[in-house]
Amino acid sequence: MNILIDPLPESVMIGGAEYRIESGFRTSLLFELLVRDKKIPDHLKLRQMLYLYYPEIPADEEEAVRQILWFYNCGRKGKEEEPRNRTAKEFRKEKALYSFEQDALLIYAAFLGQYGIDLQEIEELHWWKFQALFEGLDDGQRIRKVMRIRGMDTSGLPPGEAKRIQEWKKLYALEDELTVDHHVKLAQRNRDLKEYVHRRLEEVTRCVRP
């Protein structure tokens, strides 16, 4: 799908049926906050993300989650779906370089300063438009400078410069560097493992009963 020529999606196809999906940028911001919340159990995260995006919950929940990730990634392939035989340097590049919670002030200021968009006052903005604007922020914006520092590779640099950059990286370090895709896949694996253990315990209990 091409944002320049195609209408932005307001729905997704699941099991041959069309389901409306909440397309506003605030929904996807809440989605990221949800999957990064360590206090919420994984199985509840998966249920809550469905309620967050779908006015009507699809019967095929696994596909519904895949469509959420497709929408969140603006139609681009999620990182967890790509080949795994990457170098260590490529893995470092995949770490999250920003957080919509930790960097909220910087992102708000960047949108207001560069585009004149007050994210507090704007009624609605499609998530894909928000992402396009975010990715188009000038390098002079402070959020861009912070992201660049977080992604810097200090290997091969002179010791003094490497130390200086490491101090910057420590200053701007994210509390959570995992990508959203990774968090969702991890929640699914943890939920499946919990369900498997529960089934096995039930089977064992039935077998040992007199």
Side-chain angles (χ1 to χ4, degrees):
M1 185 172 288
N2 188 326
I3 193 173
L4 298 177
I5 58 178
D6 298 315
L8 296 179
E10 302 286 347
S11 61
V12 293
M13 295 298 296
I14 300 174
E18 185 175 6
Y19 289 87
R20 187 168 73 83
I21 194 167
E22 296 293 344
S23 61
F25 78 100
R26 292 186 179 90
T27 296
S28 289
L29 295 182
L30 290 172
F31 166 63
E32 176 165 331
L33 299 183
L34 168 66
V35 299
R36 293 187 184 283
D37 193 330
K38 297 178 181 180
K39 298 179 182 178
I40 302 177
D42 290 322
H43 68 285
L44 290 182
K45 286 183 182 179
L46 294 169
R47 289 298 298 170
Q48 288 181 18
M49 71 177 64
L50 293 173
Y51 285 113
L52 186 62
Y53 274 104
Y54 297 104
E56 178 186 355
I57 306 298
D60 187 344
E61 295 186 359
E62 293 297 322
E63 180 61 24
V65 170
R66 281 193 287 271
Q67 290 300 319
I68 287 175
L69 289 176
W70 173 84
F71 181 82
Y72 179 85
N73 288 307
C74 300
R76 295 169 293 197
K77 182 181 290 187
K79 297 185 185 303
E80 294 302 310
E81 298 174 6
E82 296 174 357
R84 296 178 179 274
N85 55 337
R86 312 183 193 95
T87 65
K89 186 176 182 180
E90 288 172 329
F91 271 115
R92 284 197 296 272
K93 287 183 179 179
E94 288 188 2
K95 288 184 179 181
L97 298 180
Y98 62 89
S99 163
F100 288 124
E101 182 173 25
Q102 197 169 330
D103 298 324
L105 293 176
L106 296 181
I107 295 170
Y108 175 84
F111 270 70
L112 187 61
Q114 182 166 324
Y115 303 120
I117 297 176
D118 189 327
L119 294 174
Q120 272 286 313
E121 296 183 358
I122 190 171
E123 289 188 7
E124 200 50 271
L125 181 66
H126 194 284
W127 171 244
W128 289 25
K129 291 182 181 180
F130 175 91
Q131 280 290 78
L133 293 170
F134 180 64
E135 293 180 14
L137 289 173
D138 295 337
D139 287 341
Q141 296 293 340
R142 188 179 174 193
I143 180 62
R144 280 295 178 194
K145 295 178 181 178
V146 170
M147 290 169 61
R148 189 161 57 250
I149 289 171
R150 289 170 179 159
M152 283 182 177
D153 182 7
T154 59
S155 59
L157 294 177
E161 186 175 355
K163 181 180 179 181
R164 178 173 57 89
I165 293 175
Q166 286 298 338
E167 289 175 351
W168 286 349
K169 291 170 74 73
K170 184 177 180 180
L171 177 63
Y172 295 118
L174 290 173
E175 296 175 1
D176 182 355
E177 291 185 328
L178 295 180
T179 64
V180 167
D181 295 72
H182 186 88
H183 271 290
V184 173
K185 297 299 182 183
L186 185 61
Q188 290 175 317
R189 287 197 294 268
N190 289 342
R191 177 205 56 190
D192 293 343
L193 178 60
K194 184 176 180 180
E195 291 177 352
Y196 171 77
V197 171
H198 181 70
R199 288 196 303 270
R200 290 294 296 151
L201 285 174
E202 287 185 336
E203 292 171 0
V204 171
T205 301
R206 286 197 297 270
C207 290
V208 298
R209 283 175 181 167

